[in-house]
């Protein structure tokens, strides 16, 4: 059981989720972005993409997700303004605005690496990215067939 009373995923399921999370980290790093798995101790103290793995057996959305984290100093400035009762400042808006811009880039990078990713429709985490698996996991009939202009092959 998890801390919230939900059943924990089996070790095999967690292994598969962690393997997908590592592929996500690797794809983002290959694109030149700072990325880390949430279990890495330094992940909390640095900016970049943080990949989360859901440990519960039943999830309401994807079992792997990605969030963009701004520089810790910028996040602290936002927290300071919020606790001071100044919710309309640039410092408060900045992390969310950047998160929304990065969400689109993260999804495109992951899709180009063959990883199925989409935006999170959660109003509590609107800039999150949900990861569902690899495109190669899909049956051939369900795999995307779009080829970007200029990359098509002519027989």
């Amino acid at each position: 059981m998890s801390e919230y009373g939900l059943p924990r995923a089996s070790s095999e399921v967690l292994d598969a989720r962690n393997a997908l999370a590592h592929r996500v980290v690797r794809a983002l790093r290959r694109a030149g972005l700072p990325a880390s798995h949430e279990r890495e101790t330094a992940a909390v103290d640095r900016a970049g993409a943080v990949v989360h793995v859901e440990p519960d057996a039943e999830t309401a959305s994807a079992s792997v997700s990605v969030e963009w984290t701004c520089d810790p100093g910028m996040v602290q400035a936002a927290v300071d303004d919020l606790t001071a009762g100044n919710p309309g400042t640039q410092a408060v808006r900045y992390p969310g605005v950047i998160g929304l811009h990065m969400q689109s880039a993260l999804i495109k990078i992951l899709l180009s690496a063959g990883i199925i990713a989409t935006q999170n429709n959660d109003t509590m985490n609107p800039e999150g990215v949900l990861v569902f698996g690899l495109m190669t996991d899909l049956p051939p009939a369900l795999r995307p067939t779009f080829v970007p202009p200029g990359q098509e092959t002519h027989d």
Side-chain angles (χ1 to χ4, degrees), residues 75-89 91-92:
V75 174
Q76 187 59 52
V79 169
D80 292 345
D81 280 357
L82 283 171
T83 56
N86 302 318
T89 66
V92 170

Side-chain angles (χ1 to χ4, degrees), residues 57-126:
E58 298 178 20
T59 60
S61 55
S63 56
V64 175
S65 61
V66 184
E67 292 184 21
W68 186 261
T69 303
C70 288
D71 178 76
M74 192 69 235
V75 174
Q76 187 59 52
V79 169
D80 292 345
D81 280 357
L82 283 171
T83 56
N86 302 318
T89 66
Q90 173 66 15
V92 170
R93 288 190 305 273
Y94 186 80
V97 169
I98 296 303
L100 286 173
H101 289 305
M102 290 305 299
Q103 177 191 55
S104 176
L106 293 169
I107 291 170
K108 290 174 183 176
I109 290 166
L110 293 174
L111 289 172
S112 70
I115 298 170
I116 303 167
T118 188
Q119 65 186 19
N120 192 349
N121 278 337
D122 182 357
T123 56
M124 296 302 290
N125 184 19

